[in-house]
Amino acid sequence: MDRRKFLGQAATAGVAAAAASTLPAPAIAQSMPDLNWRLTSSFPKSLDTLFGGIEHFAKRVADMTGNKFKIRTFAAGEIVPGLQVLDAVQKGTVEAGQTASYYYVGKDPTFAFDCAMPFSMTARQQQAWMLHGGGYALMREFMKDYDVHPIVFGNTGAQMGGWFRKPIQSLADVRNLKFRIAGLAGQVFAKLGAVPQVIAGGEIYPALEKGTIDAAEWVGPYDDEKLGFVKVAPYYNYPGFWEGGTQVTLMINTKHWEALPPLYKHVVETAAHETCLDMLAKYDHLNVISIKKLVAAGAKLTPWPRDVLEAAWKASHQLYDEIAAKNEKFKKIYGPWKAYRDDQYQWFRVAELSFANFSFTAQQTVK
Amino acid sequence: MDRRKFLGQAATAGVAAAAASTLPAPAIAQSMPDLNWRLTSSFPKSLDTLFGGIEHFAKRVADMTGNKFKIRTFAAGEIVPGLQVLDAVQKGTVEAGQTASYYYVGKDPTFAFDCAMPFSMTARQQQAWMLHGGGYALMREFMKDYDVHPIVFGNTGAQMGGWFRKPIQSLADVRNLKFRIAGLAGQVFAKLGAVPQVIAGGEIYPALEKGTIDAAEWVGPYDDEKLGFVKVAPYYNYPGFWEGGTQVTLMINTKHWEALPPLYKHVVETAAHETCLDMLAKYDHLNVISIKKLVAAGAKLTPWPRDVLEAAWKASHQLYDEIAAKNEKFKKIYGPWKAYRDDQYQWFRVAELSFANFSFTAQQTVK
């Protein structure tokens, strides 16, 4: 806080000094205790749109509470390994974590609804579902079993489909493809005949260079640019149809959430939601700069062939039906989720998509 | 605040009681004086996604300040007429207002960059520009002359193109069309040979019914449904290419903004941004429900013919060039704004649009 400025205002507003000496002061202090939280991320600091989200959030919380509610941020591996954020929050090792819920589909594929899955919703559709379409109620009930209170915490927008050493010209080229891709998307690619690979981030480049793997997916232009894949696997496929609008989640340990004074609960929820707006805006801003640089560096933008998309669409829904048949929790959410998605898809074709289809190409097509 | 719950937590957290009796209490009270603001809207309560935005915002601010910063909300006409929000904020009659900046293009067309104009950006692109692409700096500098500090406050998403008594099948059908449409969009339609009409909201229905006008544009399915236009002008055109992502703005009187304690500034900015996320999610959620009802009630979804879109694209940029030639403030923003828009359009064609084009139609096309 700029003290000089504050004194200036207090004089102008005229009420600050009075308030300090009257009854409300202890009431506010009581509802705003000094508090220190630790917030651990699934992401390294180098992914600065994602990790930057928790820095932005922690600053907002500190700023809105006069620095009384302090949140220390930790990158993946500093105190908790990146893929164990859920576990650390569940155990209460940390009060909160920033993660992508689909990292936990091994525990239960139901986590994917809180993040992204093949042909799930776009960023806006996912936000509509979570905030107004019943998503919050469903996901919060599901995560109660993990002692987690989830809050929507960001979105990457539609991601790219990865880097390929050779162009994919038809579904036949997917067969036996050694593709670094995980989770439900990996299972869909397995159904298409590919061989999904699980490789840590740092090992992808040498594996692509040597040809140990044929392709790898990561995020989108801004994050991908840093890893330099363009030099060893220049075919840059799109879209990442398994990440049409990948949600980032703030997982809070339920006991710590419930122990928060109401004022802090409002601050946390508001700041987390605001972080969504900021993160998506930042991605949309930065991706534009990076896609130009990548193309200049030799990236060959390659759309998925239609037969791959169609086969993936069928394989995805087949997979969801298989999971729903044996997993009650998944089934309970899949029904309303799919109905919601289908309706959203239909409506977005009207105003939003027709605007985009004409306007985004008019520079080239209207003479 | 639920007092019982709070006491329970205080006991758990253990720190609240201590904080109340130590030094920080007066400091917090000083930075959180009792404050009452009036926030007047350009919209009636019946437009509950828009007006609901300020109710949501005021509640967030109250909740995050222990009810010390109270904001009373007023609908259009209660204390200030809907189209005079800027003037009331500028004069300091009210501390803040919710409005659509394009209502003030009569004062200066530069206001349109803060809201929407023909072939401007989508909701996400507009948010990227404002928050990370330099938009805030440009718009805040521009509005200084009006003693206004603007904060992004919401978005409707791409709107529909209005209700027509007869189908528009080609550009020829636009000539002499009496179309209720205002601002820069009206000027573009005038260039296409239409006769833009300015009619207050409540008079549109009878004018459409009698045929005094041929067509009228409003917002999108959820807001349009309430006005019942489907009964008298069933052709529901799309997209509203002059409202690809209409921004709502929180205008704050500069003196009142500068007099706010820093903590309250953070609360206001965070809550306003969070309101954006919430409003757009609410529109996306509700429009789906309404578009179905409208189609069931006889709305005939009609895309604009390609020749209308192309002529409008050309007329829009011609208009912008004309304005820039005689308005230095407009010109200063138009250059960087257009470069930004063009880049955003190009990038969004890749991942986002290819995902949408395949996925949104796959239900119908993939067997």
Side-chain angles (χ1 to χ4, degrees), chain A residues 9 28 60 68 124 158 260 273-274 284-285 292 314 340 343-344 349 352 357 360 364 367, chain B residues 9 28 124 158 260-261 269 273-274 284-285 292 314 340 343-344 349 352 357 360 364 367:
Chain A
Q9 289 148 13
I28 273 289
R60 284 294 201 198
K68 294 187 74 61
R124 273 177 56 183
L260 276 188
H273 284 175
E274 197 254 353
D284 289 340
H285 174 70
K292 284 187 190 180
K314 290 179 203 165
Y340 198 86
D343 279 352
Q344 284 284 327
R349 283 165 58 188
E352 202 72 38
N357 273 326
F360 295 0
Q364 275 78 44
K367 301 295 163 194
Chain B
Q9 289 149 11
I28 273 290
R124 272 176 57 182
L260 276 187
E269 185 171 284
H273 283 175
E274 197 253 355
D284 290 340
H285 173 70
K292 285 188 190 179
K314 289 179 205 166
Y340 197 87
D343 279 353
Q344 285 283 326
R349 283 164 60 188
E352 203 72 38
N357 274 325
F360 295 0
Q364 275 79 43
K367 301 293 162 195

Side-chain angles (χ1 to χ4, degrees), chain B residues 279-348:
Chain B
M279 184 186 291
L280 189 55
K282 202 169 167 186
Y283 261 119
D284 290 340
H285 173 70
L286 293 169
N287 278 332
V288 169
I289 299 165
S290 292
I291 191 82
K292 285 188 190 179
K293 286 199 254 171
L294 285 168
V295 169
K300 296 179 208 311
L301 296 178
T302 312
W304 285 105
R306 176 96 196 165
D307 63 349
V308 173
L309 292 173
E310 293 192 355
W313 175 270
K314 289 179 205 166
S316 300
H317 293 87
Q318 192 186 9
L319 176 66
Y320 302 151
D321 289 339
E322 288 163 9
I323 298 172
K326 57 191 178 193
N327 181 325
E328 277 303 317
K329 289 179 184 176
F330 186 93
K331 188 182 171 187
K332 186 183 172 183
I333 298 179
Y334 183 54
W337 175 89
K338 186 169 182 300
Y340 197 87
R341 182 205 67 171
D342 290 352
D343 279 353
Q344 285 283 326
Y345 275 6
Q346 267 208 298
W347 156 238
F348 265 77

Side-chain angles (χ1 to χ4, degrees), chain B residues 76-91:
Chain B
E78 282 193 87
I79 52 171
V80 173
L83 300 180
Q84 290 172 30
V85 168
L86 167 61
D87 309 77
V89 173
Q90 185 175 3
K91 282 181 209 147

Side-chain angles (χ1 to χ4, degrees), chain B residues 29-234:
Chain B
Q30 246 175 351
S31 44
M32 299 177 70
D34 281 301
L35 200 57
N36 289 286
W37 268 22
R38 302 200 298 176
L39 168 53
T40 192
S41 177
S42 284
F43 311 108
K45 285 187 182 163
S46 58
L47 291 175
D48 60 333
T49 35
L50 293 165
F51 187 80
I54 64 174
E55 294 179 308
H56 176 92
F57 168 76
K59 186 172 185 317
R60 285 295 202 197
V61 171
D63 286 343
M64 292 198 289
T65 62
N67 216 27
K68 295 186 73 61
F69 189 177
K70 292 192 188 80
I71 298 177
R72 283 168 67 202
T73 58
F74 298 91
E78 282 193 87
I79 52 171
V80 173
L83 300 180
Q84 290 172 30
V85 168
L86 167 61
D87 309 77
V89 173
Q90 185 175 3
K91 282 181 209 147
T93 313
V94 291
E95 288 82 3
Q98 177 202 45
T99 194
S101 288
Y102 63 13
Y103 290 153
Y104 313 103
V105 293
K107 292 179 192 289
D108 191 322
T110 312
F111 276 104
F113 294 113
D114 191 57
C115 184
M117 47 210 279
F119 304 109
S120 58
M121 291 181 269
T122 65
R124 272 176 57 182
Q125 294 167 343
Q126 176 75 8
Q127 286 160 0
W129 183 62
M130 289 300 289
L131 272 63
H132 292 281
Y136 255 149
L138 290 167
M139 294 318 303
R140 284 177 175 169
E141 189 196 353
F142 166 70
M143 289 199 208
K144 261 189 191 159
D145 294 347
Y146 297 85
D147 298 318
V148 161
H149 177 81
I151 301 180
V152 177
F153 206 23
N155 203 293
T156 65
Q159 298 189 7
M160 291 292 284
W163 299 87
F164 294 74
R165 287 164 52 95
K166 291 179 187 162
I168 301 292
Q169 285 164 330
S170 78
L171 185 56
D173 295 332
V174 173
R175 300 230 166 84
N176 301 317
L177 188 83
K178 283 174 282 182
F179 188 16
R180 189 261 177 195
I181 186 167
L184 298 182
Q187 293 178 49
V188 166
F189 270 94
K191 280 181 184 281
L192 304 190
V195 188
Q197 310 283 314
V198 178
I199 300 179
E203 288 158 36
I204 304 174
Y205 188 97
L208 272 179
E209 191 173 30
K210 282 179 216 149
T212 318
I213 59 172
D214 303 305
E217 68 98 40
W218 193 240
V219 185
Y222 180 68
D223 293 331
D224 290 9
E225 190 194 352
K226 295 170 191 156
L227 300 185
F229 297 156
V230 64
K231 281 172 259 168
V232 287

Side-chain angles (χ1 to χ4, degrees), chain B residues 8-24:
Chain B
Q9 289 149 11
T12 314
V15 282
S21 62
T22 52
L23 274 176

